[in-house]
Amino acid sequence: MYEPTSADHQPRACLLHIATLLFFSIASLPALAGEVSLGVAANFTDTTHELAKQFEAETGHTVSASFGSTGKLYAQIRNGAPFDVFMAADARRPALIEKAQAGVPNTRFTYARGKLVLWSPTPGAFGDAESYLSQQAFSRLAMANPKTAPYGLAAQQVLEQLGHWQALQAKLVRGDSIAQAFQFVVSRNAQAGFVALSQVTSWDDKEGTLWNVPQDYYQPIDQQAILLNRGISNEAALAWMDFLKSNTAIAIIRGNGYDPAYDTAD
């Protein structure tokens, strides 16, 4: 009778070893990477790019983002824009999304608190900012459209607080978004403008004149995010929402000129 030798067992043992290695290799692989599609307020453009880079490195997921004024993004979402997450520059539109059942209940939260500044790229453009505004020592003053951009509404509130809103109407140039308002100032089409501190922080040229507008001059700019219905089963979208609350994201948000809403992460 034939008796198997140790040599006969070697191929079988080798195959078993390979199968074991494959099993543990597959088991150790991360979940299949996905993609999250974001609709993001224009003021958060540079910060989103930085956050996305870190998120992609940590998770393997990819980020696709569209930027615009909060009002226009809201209108696009209500008309079926294919976003997984809405990152607004206010709290009102995400609340409306939730109320309209276009967003997932109990996923809405404040991811950043914005800061409004009066800024000119020209060093020494003004000394006392309030006197600069009252004396109208400029031909054009830029701001975002208050109807579509929360930072524009904040700028209107500041000028109303100072009693200059009506007097300055002829000199105001309004951008569709805070990004366009910032471009008006950078391109010198306006001598100064109300913009987001984060935009000045991200600008390459650090010279210029800056007034940090007292935050009691305008209503808090609480920027909220909400998971949209399209993203409810998207692992990348869920991971992004969690990432925004992480210590890593908080550090990036603070470094870009915002007050983060979360002081600690889970």
Side-chain angles (χ1 to χ4, degrees):
M1 178 180 289
Y2 172 74
E3 293 289 340
T5 66
S6 59
D8 295 309
H9 288 291
Q10 288 178 358
R12 189 176 302 170
C14 183
L15 288 173
L16 180 61
H17 179 66
I18 292 172
T20 302
L21 287 175
L22 285 173
F23 172 79
F24 284 107
S25 296
I26 293 172
S28 64
L29 288 174
L32 291 176
E35 180 179 20
V36 55
S37 177
L38 311 175
V40 185
N43 70 282
F44 212 66
T45 300
D46 291 322
T47 310
T48 299
H49 289 318
E50 190 173 346
L51 288 168
K53 183 177 180 180
Q54 183 64 36
F55 173 75
E56 290 176 348
E58 288 186 10
T59 67
H61 297 308
T62 57
V63 176
S64 172
S66 296
F67 303 95
S69 69
T70 292
K72 289 193 173 182
L73 289 170
Y74 169 77
Q76 290 172 11
I77 291 167
R78 298 292 286 124
N79 284 291
F83 299 134
D84 300 306
V85 175
F86 179 31
M87 295 176 63
D90 66 4
R92 186 171 72 88
R93 267 83 165 205
L96 290 173
I97 289 287
E98 185 175 29
K99 184 177 181 180
Q101 300 182 340
V104 180
N106 303 316
T107 61
R108 180 166 55 92
F109 72 98
T110 301
Y111 63 89
R113 293 192 174 103
K115 297 178 182 179
L116 185 72
V117 299
L118 178 67
W119 176 73
S120 171
T122 303
F126 51 84
D128 179 71
E130 295 189 27
S131 295
Y132 177 73
L133 292 170
S134 65
Q135 294 169 7
Q136 300 188 28
F138 45 81
S139 58
R140 292 186 181 90
L141 182 70
M143 61 179 286
N145 186 343
K147 294 181 179 179
T148 58
Y151 281 82
L153 178 59
Q156 178 179 337
Q157 291 168 350
V158 171
L159 292 176
E160 289 175 339
Q161 170 79 12
L162 297 174
H164 304 322
W165 177 243
Q166 294 300 329
L168 286 174
Q169 287 302 304
K171 292 190 174 184
L172 293 176
V173 288
R174 298 170 175 82
D176 287 338
S177 67
I178 195 66
Q180 189 174 42
F182 186 74
Q183 284 303 314
F184 286 156
V185 185
V186 170
S187 64
R188 305 303 205 275
N189 286 312
Q191 286 70 52
F194 286 101
V195 298
L197 175 60
S198 58
Q199 294 172 300
V200 180
T201 301
S202 301
W203 195 52
D204 292 335
D205 190 342
K206 299 304 179 184
E207 294 186 348
T209 310
L210 180 75
W211 177 46
N212 282 292
V213 181
Q215 293 193 26
D216 59 353
Y217 282 20
Y218 58 94
Q219 293 177 359
I221 305 175
D222 283 348
Q223 303 198 187
Q224 289 200 344
I226 187 170
L227 180 68
L228 301 174
N229 291 343
R230 182 178 183 271
I232 192 169
S233 59
N234 183 342
E235 291 297 329
L238 298 175
W240 176 261
M241 294 292 281
D242 286 339
F243 173 73
L244 287 177
K245 302 175 186 178
S246 70
N247 286 327
T248 300
I250 289 168
I252 292 172
I253 291 168
R254 179 178 282 115
N256 278 272
Y258 297 92
D259 284 335
Y262 280 77
D263 294 325
T264 57
D266 293 336

